[in-house]
Amino acid sequence: MKRLRDTLAAIGILFFVSCGGSKDYYMFTSFHEPADEGLRYLYSEDGMHWDSIPGVWLKPELGQHQLLRDPSMVRTPDGTFHLVWTTSWKGDLGFGYANSKDLIHWSEQQMIPVMTEEPTTVNVWAPEIFYDEDSEQFMVVWASCIPGRFERGIEEENNNHRLYYITTKDFKTISKAKVLYDPGFSSIDAVLVKRDKNDYVMVLKDNTRPERNLKIAFADSLTGPYSPASQPFTESFVEGPTVEKIGEEYLVYFDVYQKKIYGAMRTKDFINFTDVTSEVSVPAGHKHGTIFKAPESVVKALLTHTRLNH
């Protein structure tokens, strides 16, 4: 059965690579636990049914634990892909960064030191990269815990996270880290969506023990201030949201980690949500990253590279 599946997959790749076209495909960054192998990809034509691109495309070299978790990618107008990721569970005061023109060949990996002025920082988790075309700069949002900094609430002192950010044009000159959002509880895994001028949405995880679900906040500026967090729109024990736009609607994907599946919610306004988990398909073992778009030529080159090297 495995041989048949592999044969059918190879036929599918050959058919895809041989067909012409110049449209964009949805791509999904991924990793497999325990996150020490490196960057993986999924691709999709419709944004709902996903296939793996076999292989590992960037092996982690940074940090105390040399992990590549929570990979987040954007493509800038010059065609460059920019990647950030979590390098360690604890101990690192920055996140990983690299860039690529083709998603195959990568620049040297850099540790971006964002919390060096806060040496008691426990961790730098789940950096999410956003490119603001108006200011032509990047914003990276992540979660860190600084013991004693915020009201603890119901969380342990070493698990009381808040959301921070930096801005940069080139990942060489970096702004000072600032708090982006303090919702009054431990929060991680924030992703930002620009709907229109002066209209931003944040999807974030309430990481407190009773909750561990996803909530929404709104702002008229990328850097806030953001509104109080909404009521949860997912079940508990989920993480790693990412958002894609299909037509006039948005899909919010998230990792339902206890069930080892991917969930998805459809919304037009980030207030009313429809569960479409049964309508999407994500290969087993895929862990949370972010969705971006890539030209068909890039996807074909990845599949051709896979076929020739596996």
Side-chain angles (χ1 to χ4, degrees), residues 41 73-74 79-83 97-107:
Y41 302 130
M73 186 101 73
V74 293
T80 304
F81 297 94
H82 300 264
L83 175 73
Y97 168 77
N99 63 68
S100 173
K101 286 288 190 180
D102 59 5
L103 298 178
I104 298 172
H105 306 94
W106 288 89
S107 68

Side-chain angles (χ1 to χ4, degrees), residues 295-309:
E296 187 172 6
S297 58
V298 170
V299 178
K300 284 186 175 183
L302 285 164
L303 291 167
T304 299
H305 193 274
T306 296
R307 179 168 54 89
L308 295 176
N309 290 277

